Amino acid sequence: MELLDTSLPFEAQSLKSYKVLIKNTREITCRIVSDSMEPLIRIGDRVRVECVDTIKSIKPFDIVIFLNQDKLFCHFVWNISIGEKSSQILTRSLKNPHHNDLPTTPDQILGRVLHPQLSRRTRLWLILKTLFKNSQ
C-alpha cells in the first residue's frame, strides 16, 4: 500500500495523481506529522484514507485529508455547504475545535480517513463546547 508523508510540500497536480491512485487501489496510508487531531490521531500515526467520490458522501465529523496552499492537513468536517455553482467544506482540528479552518473546496479533498473516527461522545463534546463558547 502506498504511504504518503504529509510533511512534504504538496501541489495540486500531485493531489490529482494521489486521488487517481486512491480510486484505483481503494485506499492509501498517510503518516501524520501534526498534533492537531490529538489525542485521537498522534504525530507519527498512520491513517488509512479512502476515496471520496462526491461532496455528498462527506458527512459532518468525518476526518478528511485536504490540501491547503502547499500542505496536507488532517482535520474533521464541521460543516458542508452545497451550492448550485460552488460548494465548500469547513474543517476544524481537535486542538482548536471552536475555530474553523479556511474553507475547503471539494477538489482540495484527498480522501476520508477510515480509522480512527470521532466517537459519538467526542462529537457531543465538540457540539457542546461550541455552543457554550458562543453563548459567552
Side-chain angles (χ1 to χ4, degrees), residues 100-113:
N100 291 330
D101 297 326
L102 291 173
T104 302
T105 59
D107 60 318
Q108 292 173 284
I109 301 288
L110 175 65
R112 177 182 23 242
V113 172

Side-chain angles (χ1 to χ4, degrees), residues 45-84:
D45 282 357
R46 294 176 181 207
V47 295
R48 292 180 11 236
V49 179
E50 69 175 348
C51 179
V52 176
D53 290 325
T54 68
I55 190 171
K56 291 180 181 179
S57 65
I58 299 173
K59 306 283 185 257
F61 299 109
D62 281 350
I63 299 172
V64 294
I65 305 286
F66 63 95
L67 182 66
N68 185 344
Q69 296 178 358
D70 67 342
K71 290 187 176 185
L72 288 175
F73 290 85
C74 177
H75 289 171
F76 70 91
V77 174
W78 181 250
N79 190 15
I80 303 165
S81 299
I82 300 175
E84 286 183 35

Side-chain angles (χ1 to χ4, degrees), residues 6-64:
T6 59
S7 66
L8 301 173
F10 218 75
E11 298 174 358
Q13 189 58 40
S14 298
L15 185 72
K16 290 177 185 176
S17 298
Y18 272 101
K19 282 183 172 187
V20 170
L21 179 65
I22 294 172
K23 198 166 195 151
N24 292 337
T25 62
R26 298 190 184 213
E27 63 184 60
I28 63 168
T29 301
C30 291
R31 187 174 66 82
I32 303 301
V33 296
S34 163
D35 65 351
S36 65
M37 288 297 288
E38 283 191 358
L40 185 66
I41 302 172
R42 301 184 190 290
I43 295 173
D45 282 357
R46 294 176 181 207
V47 295
R48 292 180 11 236
V49 179
E50 69 175 348
C51 179
V52 176
D53 290 325
T54 68
I55 190 171
K56 291 180 181 179
S57 65
I58 299 173
K59 306 283 185 257
F61 299 109
D62 281 350
I63 299 172
V64 294

